[in-house]
Amino acid sequence: MSVTLAETASRAAHILARPATINGLTVPNRIAMAPMTRMFSPGGVPGEDVVSYYARRAAAGVGLIVTEGTYVGHDSAGLSDRVPRFHGTEQLAGWAKVADAVHAAGGTIVPQLWHIGMVRNQGDQPFPEAPAVGPSGLRIGEDEATGKAMTQRDLDDVIGAFAEAAAAAERIGFDGVELHGAHGYLIDQFLWAGTNHRTDAYGGDPVARTRFAAEIVAAVRERVSPDFPVIFRYSQWKMDAYDARLAETPEELEAILAPLASAGVDAFHASTRRYWRPEFDDSDLNLAGWTRKLTGKTAITVGSVGLEGEFGKAFQGEGAALGSLDDLLDRMERDEFDMVAVGRALLQDPDWARKVLAGRFDELTPFDAAALQTLS
């Protein structure tokens, strides 16, 4: 039996409008804004345009905003002086204004804390003398190290940088933090066997490869209040290896997630390119669904929500039409996962959440990758 647009709209308003709880935080609805790098912060400082960018989407009904990735206080963390940083007096003052504006608009907000690791090239800003660092000095697809394999001091410094950024987030008024452990960046470089060839306690089997991430989570947990939410974003795929996998079976995935949950993760943000794809054989559960089943923690799904077409192609301007939300709503009704993060559709249409929650599907603006540079 076919489902009418009006029926889908009514279901969306009911299912997505429910509040969600992440540790001590109550999010007003089930819609999150996915982190999207924009490079609109010269000197790493978010200005008034960044304040209005996030406040506009909070005012339009986004329940939880996850900011674009922000560099932690480690010189090797980034590759651009236009990506915001989450350290420094001026930078944190800018972020405090963002948090205040989102709260005034009725939303909640967490910064995504980020270290890119071996994605960095020698000479990149904002600190051109800093080396690229990683578990083994390997970039994705390399057999020979072209960067620095991290020493114990390096590991301790980065762990401390994440913990200090989390403490700063709570101090200046954010509602929690998200740790970027996905897409082939530093934390993920430790999780994935393709880039982690270490033979010490931080390399080897999946549990050992999780140690660095778990130590970051534990250090963050120690520096923030017990009810302050800690979200961990992870993925199987990498930016330069779409077919990469951390885990081939649910058992392997559980071995990775369990130490993170024990260390203090309150919610997992399971990044996939297409949320509707089953993660393992013999089950319809996607990655977020398996995450919730295996850990019992809040799970956030993401991946081409509200779009049709492949992740990469959409950014190249190919085939990015609006897609159906019926499958998403079916999964949320079954409690497969708790929240849904929306990226490109929300970037294109700042009022996406308001329209969906009100059942105004006919007013949604189709995604147009060519218009990305003009969006605010």
Side-chain angles (χ1 to χ4, degrees):
M1 182 176 65
S2 61
V3 178
T4 68
L5 184 62
E7 289 171 328
T8 298
S10 177
R11 289 180 69 213
H14 172 69
I15 294 169
L16 296 176
R18 298 172 299 163
T21 300
I22 306 175
N23 197 343
L25 175 67
T26 297
V27 181
N29 60 54
R30 300 301 175 106
I31 299 174
M33 180 176 178
M36 290 174 285
T37 300
R38 301 171 68 239
M39 295 189 178
F40 283 7
S41 298
V45 180
E48 291 302 321
D49 58 330
V50 178
V51 173
S52 61
Y53 168 77
Y54 287 115
R56 182 180 181 186
R57 284 154 178 86
V62 175
L64 174 66
I65 287 174
V66 183
T67 74
E68 61 209 280
T70 68
Y71 299 149
V72 297
H74 186 262
D75 286 358
S76 296
L79 53 66
S80 170
D81 197 40
R82 293 184 59 84
V83 170
R85 304 201 285 273
F86 216 84
H87 60 98
T89 302
E90 191 177 1
Q91 288 82 359
L92 292 177
W95 279 120
K97 292 179 181 178
V98 173
D100 288 346
V102 167
H103 292 152
T108 61
I109 184 168
V110 301
Q112 186 186 72
L113 306 180
W114 190 22
H115 192 303
I116 69 170
M118 286 301 302
V119 175
R120 174 181 172 80
N121 294 303
Q122 185 69 41
D124 281 345
Q125 298 294 328
F127 303 106
E129 299 305 314
V133 300
S136 304
L138 291 168
R139 302 181 196 279
I140 292 173
E142 284 184 342
D143 295 321
E144 299 283 337
T146 56
K148 179 185 179 184
M150 295 172 73
T151 64
Q152 186 64 54
R153 179 173 179 176
D154 294 326
L155 298 173
D156 293 342
D157 287 346
V158 171
I159 291 168
F162 273 95
E164 176 56 36
E170 184 172 25
R171 185 172 66 248
I172 65 176
F174 278 79
D175 298 298
V177 293
E178 176 171 285
L179 309 177
H180 196 343
H183 306 162
Y185 297 113
L186 180 64
I187 294 175
D188 193 25
Q189 289 161 22
F190 274 83
L191 296 176
W192 189 41
T195 43
N196 184 348
H197 295 181
R198 297 176 75 100
T199 57
D200 63 2
Y202 294 92
D205 63 26
V207 174
R209 295 198 304 272
T210 306
R211 178 171 177 167
F212 178 58
E215 289 185 355
I216 290 175
V217 173
V220 166
R221 186 82 274 163
E222 187 175 332
R223 291 291 302 276
V224 299
S225 301
D227 61 351
F228 191 70
V230 176
I231 303 169
F232 189 90
R233 194 179 209 211
Y234 81 102
S235 67
Q236 299 260 42
W237 65 277
K238 321 301 170 199
M239 289 301 295
D240 295 318
Y242 284 157
D243 295 331
R245 295 178 69 79
L246 299 178
E248 296 292 345
T249 65
E251 292 75 20
E252 291 179 1
L253 183 61
E254 185 174 21
I256 293 166
L257 298 181
L260 299 174
S262 296
V265 170
D266 298 301
F268 288 95
H269 189 173
S271 179
T272 56
R273 295 169 66 209
R274 305 172 187 87
Y275 79 86
W276 57 88
R277 291 288 181 85
E279 193 57 41
F280 302 112
D281 294 338
D282 302 322
S283 171
D284 290 333
L285 290 177
N286 71 0
L287 188 62
W290 274 110
T291 300
R292 191 178 192 274
K293 180 176 180 177
L294 294 171
T295 68
K297 300 290 185 178
T298 298
I300 305 169
T301 197
V302 67
S304 301
V305 175
L307 300 173
E308 292 175 349
E310 188 173 324
F311 184 97
K313 289 183 178 179
F315 275 113
Q316 297 166 20
E318 302 175 27
L322 283 169
S324 169
L325 293 178
D326 288 307
D327 178 61
L328 176 73
L329 299 175
D330 289 343
R331 291 169 182 266
M332 295 194 80
E333 274 192 324
R334 297 194 298 264
D335 291 325
E336 182 173 327
F337 39 74
D338 302 279
M339 296 185 67
V340 55
V342 181
R344 289 160 289 158
L346 188 56
L347 184 64
Q348 174 72 51
D349 186 351
D351 291 325
W352 189 92
R354 175 186 288 147
K355 293 173 182 177
V356 168
L357 291 170
R360 293 156 44 198
F361 282 25
D362 57 331
E363 299 179 24
L364 291 170
T365 304
F367 180 80
D368 178 5
L372 274 177
Q373 297 303 315
T374 66
L375 300 177
S376 62

